Amino acid sequence: MAGPRLVITDPAQFRNTAFVLTGGRQVVGRAPGCDLRLEHPHVSGRHAELSRSGVQVLIEDLSSTNGTYVNGSPVRGPQLLRSGDTICFGDVRARFDDLAQSVTQTAQAPAFNVRSQQAGSINNVGRDQYIQEAQQSFLKEVAATRSRGRRLILVGFVLTVGGFALFAWGVLRFMGMVGRGLQQSVDSTDPSSVPSFDDLGTVWGDQIGGVPVFLFGWVAGAVGGILMIVGLVLHVIAAARRRAYERMTFYS
C-alpha cells in the first residue's frame, strides 16, 4: 500500500492494526466519533489530530491527558511526520509508514561511505534505541501511576459518599426515635402506658455482631476519605514526573 498509514505496534491487542490516512483531518481517540478509534484507557476521547496535505502528514496533540509523542519527544504543536517515525498516544505505540516518502528519502540519501563510517556512530544506533525504550517505559509507568490514582479517587469518593450517607441516616433515625419516645412521655397522662424504646422499635437500627450498621457507614466513609487522599497524591506525583520529563526533553 503506497499511501501513508499508521501501524499499531503496541499493545498486543492492537498489534499490526493499520489505519490508512485518506487525507484531510482525522482525529485519533477513544470516543466513538473519532476517525481513527483506539479503545484504550490511556487514550483520551479526542487524543490527537492527523492532517494530510499532498505528501505531507502533520500530527497535533489535542490537549490529551497522557500526551502524544513522536520518537520519544512530546508533540507541542503541529509536527511533520516522516516515514518510520514512532508515535505514542499515551501507552499505544504506532509506526508511521509512507512508502512513497521512504523511496524519496532513500533516493536523496547520500551514498554510504565505508571509510568515513565510525564505529561510535554504529554503536549509537543501539544506544538511541535503548534510550527510546527507556523513555517509553518511563512514560508507561507514569501513565499507570496516574490511572491508579484516578481509580483510588473514584473508589474513595463512592465509599465516602455512601458511607457517610448511611451514617447520617442512622443518626437521624436514632434522633427521631428518641424524640418520638420523649414526646409520647410528655403527652401521656398514664405513666404505665408510656411505651419504651423497645416498643418503638430498635433505637439503634439493625446490628451486625452487636454493632449498629450505620457505624459501619462511618468507617466506610473514613476509609474512602483516605483512599481519595492517596489517589490524589499519586495523581500529583505522576503529573509532576510527567512535567519534569517534558522539561528535560524540551531543553535537551
Side-chain angles (χ1 to χ4, degrees):
M1 184 178 297
R5 60 178 183 168
L6 286 181
V7 180
I8 308 300
T9 58
D10 192 59
Q13 64 263 35
F14 299 129
R15 188 168 297 158
N16 296 326
T17 301
F19 295 103
V20 179
L21 306 181
T22 57
R25 297 180 180 273
Q26 294 176 282
V27 176
V28 180
R30 195 177 66 248
C34 292
D35 304 293
L36 309 180
R37 190 178 179 190
L38 296 172
E39 296 186 14
H40 191 277
H42 294 159
V43 176
S44 298
R46 290 172 56 85
H47 197 104
E49 182 180 75
L50 292 163
S51 57
R52 179 185 176 188
S53 177
V55 296
Q56 291 187 337
V57 177
L58 298 176
I59 188 170
E60 183 174 3
D61 184 70
L62 299 179
S63 300
S64 62
T65 301
N66 293 311
T68 303
Y69 292 78
V70 175
N71 298 327
S73 300
V75 175
R76 302 183 182 277
Q79 181 171 332
L80 182 65
L81 292 177
R82 296 174 61 86
S83 184
D85 282 347
T86 298
I87 307 171
C88 290
F89 306 99
D91 282 356
V92 177
R93 184 185 302 183
R95 184 183 66 253
F96 175 69
D97 285 341
D98 189 346
L99 181 59
Q101 191 181 102
S102 299
V103 172
T104 302
Q105 292 173 3
T106 302
Q108 293 176 349
F112 183 76
N113 190 336
V114 177
R115 294 181 180 179
S116 64
Q117 180 66 33
Q118 302 294 324
S121 299
I122 297 176
N123 291 336
N124 283 344
V125 176
R127 184 191 65 183
D128 292 344
Q129 182 178 0
Y130 172 79
I131 293 175
Q132 184 175 340
E133 290 178 353
Q135 289 174 338
Q136 296 303 328
S137 178
F138 173 79
L139 293 175
K140 284 185 178 182
E141 180 184 348
V142 171
T145 301
R146 179 176 291 185
S147 296
R148 284 195 297 270
R150 287 178 176 174
R151 287 195 294 269
L152 286 176
I153 292 173
L154 178 60
V155 173
F157 177 77
V158 173
L159 283 176
T160 300
V161 173
F164 283 125
L166 178 61
F167 177 73
W169 171 83
V171 171
L172 292 175
R173 182 183 184 279
F174 170 75
M175 294 174 62
M177 296 290 287
V178 172
R180 287 173 58 192
L182 294 176
Q183 185 63 42
Q184 291 189 23
S185 298
V186 172
D187 295 341
S188 176
T189 58
D190 182 6
S192 64
S193 64
V194 177
S196 65
F197 287 139
D198 291 337
D199 295 329
L200 296 174
T202 305
V203 175
W204 294 103
D206 297 331
Q207 298 181 4
I208 299 178
V211 179
V213 171
F214 76 91
L215 290 181
F216 287 102
W218 185 89
V219 174
V223 172
I226 295 174
L227 290 179
M228 288 179 65
I229 293 174
V230 174
L232 182 61
V233 170
L234 288 177
H235 194 277
V236 170
I237 291 175
R241 295 179 69 189
R242 181 64 175 266
R243 286 193 297 269
Y245 169 79
E246 290 181 351
R247 286 195 298 269
M248 179 182 66
T249 305
F250 180 74
Y251 290 111
S252 60

